[in-house]
Structure formats: C-alpha cells, structure tokens
Amino acid sequence: MNSLCLRVAVLGCGAVAHRWYLPGLSRPDASYELHAVADIDRKRAEAAAAHYGARRVYASLDEVLSDDDVDIVVVLTRHRDHYDHVAASLEAGKHVYAEKPLAPSGPLVRQLVELARTRGVKLGAAPQVMLSARNRRVAELLAANVIGRPTLVRVTSSGFGPGDRPDVDYDPIWFYQDGGSLVSLGIYGLGTLLWLLGVPRTVSCFQGIAIPSRVVQTGPAAGTAYTVTAPDNVAALLEFGDGCLALFDGSYSVANSPRFELEFQGTRGTIWIGGFGGPDSVLVQGIREPVRAAGPEDDPAHPWTLAWGVHDLVTALVEGREQAVGTRLAVALADTMDAMRASAERGRHVAVGAGR
Ligand SMILES: NC(=O)c1ccc[n+]([C@@H]2O[C@H](COP(=O)([O-])OP(=O)(O)OC[C@H]3O[C@@H](n4cnc5c(N)ncnc54)[C@H](O)[C@@H]3O)[C@@H](O)[C@H]2O)c1
C-alpha cells in the first residue's frame, strides 16, 4: 500500500477557491492534505484556513515556495498572473495545477511545459473537460464511428458572463477586462472541441466588444456600472482537414444559451450535447432513425468540482502515471487562441502555429 501523502498549497483564496477548490480539497483523502493557503490579502487566507482547515497561512507566493513541506501549488490567481506564478512554482521544484488560461500565448505555455520537464515536476492545467463523463461518452461515440466522419460541428460556449449570473457572490468586473469571454468562458467549449477533434489546421475569427457599458446584476457588486475593455463577443470558423469545419462562439453577449452546447454532424448522423451529465445530455440520431439518449448514467446533479483536476494530479503522482489533465490541451488551446486573435487582428485566415 502506498502511504504517500502530498501537501497541497492553494495560491489565491478568491471566488473560484471558495466555490470549488477549497471545498473539494478539504474532503478527507489519504493521498493528500490541504496544507497551506495563501493570498496577498492575508485576511482572505486566514479566513480560508479557518474554514477549510489548512495548517499554514501565507501572504505571498515566496512564502509558499520557501515552505519545503509544500509538494503541490494550486494557482488560482487571475489570468494575467498565471504565467509568473506557475513559472516561479516550477522553478522552486513544486508540482503545479493551474486555472486557465495557463499563459497568455502558445510560446509561453510551451516554456512552462519545458520548465516542468527540466525540473522533473508535473504540471496540470484547467479546463478539465476530459474528466467529464459526458465528454468521454461523446469521445467513445465518435471513436465507434456512430455518426461516421464528422463534417460540421457547432460549438457555443456563451452567455452574458458572471456579471449577470444569479449565483455570483463575488465582484465579476475583471473578467470583462482581463482576457474577455474567450479565455474565461469560451475556453470550455473550445477545449472540449479540441480534446475531441484535435488541433484545427486553420482558423478565421472575428472578435469585438458588443456591450461596452454594463451594470453588475447580482452579488456584492450589484448595481456597479463598468466598462468592458476586453472582447466580449468572439466567433470563429475552424478547419480540421478532410473538409471538417467547426463554427464556434465564446461570447459574453448571448442572453440565453441554447439547449445544446455542441452539435456534431457526421456522414451518418448527428450528436447533440448539452447539460452536465445524465442520459439526456447526449442525444444521437442516425439518418432516418429516431433520436436516442446516449449520455452517461451519472447523475447530472452529482457534486462536480473543479478540484478533480488537482485530484488527478495527486493520483498521477501517487500511482506514477501520466495525468489526464496534463498540458497537451493547454498547448492546443493556446496555439488555437493565438491563431484566433491573430486572425481577428489581421482580418484573414491564420494557420494554427503561425499565430505569432
Ligand atoms: N470565479 C469563478 O467562478 C471561476 C470559475 C472557474 C474558473 N475560474 C478561474 O479561476 C481563476 C481565479 O478567478 P477568481 O474568480 O477566483 O478571481 P478572484 O479575483 O476572486 O481571486 C483571485 C485571488 O488571488 C489573490 N491574489 C492575487 N495576486 C496574488 C498573489 N500574488 N499571491 C497570492 N494571492 C494573490 C487575490 O487577492 C484574490 O483573492 C481565474 O483563472 C478564473 O478564470 C474562476
């Protein structure tokens, strides 16, 4: 029996830490423990430690990295800080799991992957779309050729964003100013598409700011007016070879999201995908056949948690295997998003890998 118990430090005790990671990481598990929490706002770290039972409290990344007992750093800071925080943690010889996007560009993501390799540590990055039973079922259906060869895919990963969500208990304004809708919301649908189909060859993209002046609708900042400075409306056409195309939107300018987030049209049928799980989250229809539910038998209300990405890293370390949520998708996403941004800026199609 393996008695390895890894010590986890959470960097950034903000919204995502409280909503997902800290509750998920404070559940009893013999293979790891929530050892430390850190935030530049020390009071936040103290509150998180008291509530979730972390032993040590820090107010900087340097303090975390000076703690020889820390094995894994979970980076939950804002988008523009991820690269620096992940790089410093890897340099210090810590394993890292980071929220998305891992870094602002493909070359910088590759630098982090190389740094992890040379330091002999593991790196994992959200989005963890490959852990979804629903997505794994779709991968099985595609591999089993149930709809033949994919021809046209529609992916919508859009809404009005956290500024309008009824369950928001934090100030969401920065999401509209640091990266915009693609890296925060669109990245989930785009990640699922790339995980299922691979990296597109060429993209053509438009982006803009569709709703520049907004007011926070709910939560502690309700009523606050703000200006959108990052693209809140992104749409792209992605070409995968063999004539297979995908239409994608990752927008904060969509009032009501459609029932199905993904639709795969193939030479022999269609797959519709929508909802977190359960049989009705995946529907299949062959040519001149009735629609049938083909989703997993899991309960859609199952307490799904982003902390599963960290559990995956822990399990990989304990069992000495590769992670499911490693860096391959982060690289694919960064390269594709680079090409999308370059296409939007230059007003032409861009080959993925030639975005910068
Ligand atoms: N908010 C959500 O529901 C949600 C959901 C999924 C993913 N995410 C992702 O999680 C990440 C964080 O988002 P958030 O909404 O939690 O942001 P947030 O602003 O609420 O939290 C970030 C925290 O990091 C702290 N921080 C900043 N710099 C620091 C530093 N140098 N050292 C230590 N702490 C520092 C801040 O004080 C703050 O408490 C982003 O990548 C976001 O895309 C958020």
Side-chain angles (χ1 to χ4, degrees):
M1 200 176 93
N2 200 326
S3 60
L4 187 62
C5 181
L6 296 158
R7 296 194 181 96
V8 175
V10 166
L11 182 77
C13 301
V16 80
H18 281 280
R19 288 163 72 84
W20 298 107
Y21 284 90
L22 291 168
L25 294 173
S26 57
R27 289 176 199 156
D29 191 307
S31 55
Y32 72 89
E33 64 173 24
L34 179 63
H35 169 74
V37 288
D39 200 294
I40 39 166
D41 181 341
R42 193 181 175 89
K43 285 201 170 57
R44 286 191 185 189
E46 283 168 355
H51 198 266
Y52 294 103
R55 286 168 203 261
R56 298 185 190 164
V57 178
Y58 297 124
S60 73
L61 177 57
D62 285 348
E63 290 174 56
V64 173
L65 300 183
S66 307
D67 182 342
D68 290 338
D69 291 334
V70 170
D71 298 301
I72 297 173
V73 179
V74 179
V75 175
L76 304 181
T77 49
R78 292 185 178 181
H79 302 157
R80 64 167 64 95
D81 296 322
H82 289 172
Y83 175 84
D84 287 346
H85 292 164
V86 172
S89 303
L90 295 172
E91 282 284 5
K94 309 293 188 189
H95 305 287
V96 176
Y97 185 84
E99 254 304 328
K100 45 71 184 171
L102 182 53
S105 71
L108 290 176
V109 166
R110 284 192 166 75
Q111 277 184 23
L112 294 176
V113 173
E114 179 59 12
L115 187 54
R117 193 188 65 75
T118 56
R119 292 281 157 178
V121 291
K122 287 189 183 289
L123 172 61
Q128 51 172 6
V129 295
M130 62 294 283
L131 297 185
S132 148
R134 181 201 78 173
N135 291 345
R136 288 203 302 270
R137 176 57 55 85
V138 176
E140 287 164 14
L141 293 167
L142 291 173
N145 226 13
V146 166
I147 60 160
R149 186 169 49 77
T151 52
L152 185 66
V153 187
R154 293 188 176 89
V155 186
T156 177
S157 200
S158 296
F160 264 165
D164 277 60
R165 275 176 53 167
D167 60 343
V168 160
D169 53 5
Y170 55 90
D171 181 346
I173 294 172
W174 72 274
F175 280 99
Y176 299 79
Q177 298 167 344
D178 181 0
S181 58
L182 177 59
V183 294
S184 56
L185 183 58
I187 197 167
Y188 291 103
L190 190 65
T192 305
L193 176 71
L194 267 53
W195 181 65
L196 289 167
L197 283 194
V199 181
R201 297 196 317 188
T202 312
V203 302
S204 194
C205 181
F206 289 85
Q207 64 180 26
I209 296 176
I211 310 178
S213 301
R214 300 189 182 218
V215 175
V216 179
Q217 296 300 310
T218 56
T224 308
Y226 62 103
T227 303
V228 176
T229 56
D232 69 353
N233 205 10
V234 179
L237 186 57
L238 303 98
E239 184 262 319
F240 288 87
D242 292 329
C244 176
L245 303 177
L247 298 150
F248 164 82
D249 58 82
S251 170
Y252 277 162
S253 306
V254 168
N256 295 294
S257 310
R259 154 90 170 85
F260 298 105
E261 299 143 44
L262 285 105
E263 174 188 313
F264 278 83
Q265 300 291 347
T267 50
R268 286 174 24 204
T270 307
I271 305 175
W272 291 276
I273 304 135
F276 273 111
D280 288 338
S281 64
V282 180
L283 303 181
V284 176
Q285 186 172 27
I287 296 166
R288 287 178 292 281
E289 286 176 7
V291 178
R292 65 183 169 89
E297 291 300 327
D298 64 340
D299 176 358
H302 183 73
W304 181 85
T305 165
L306 295 175
W308 285 351
V310 185
H311 296 175
D312 172 66
L313 172 58
V314 167
T315 311
L317 286 163
V318 170
E319 295 178 358
R321 63 152 171 82
E322 281 302 306
Q323 303 130 270
V325 194
T327 51
R328 188 180 301 185
L329 181 60
V331 171
L333 274 166
D335 285 347
T336 303
M337 293 191 297
D338 282 353
M340 288 168 67
R341 278 187 288 266
S343 168
E345 283 162 14
R346 297 172 198 168
R348 59 180 172 80
H349 306 326
V350 172
V352 176
R356 292 197 173 248

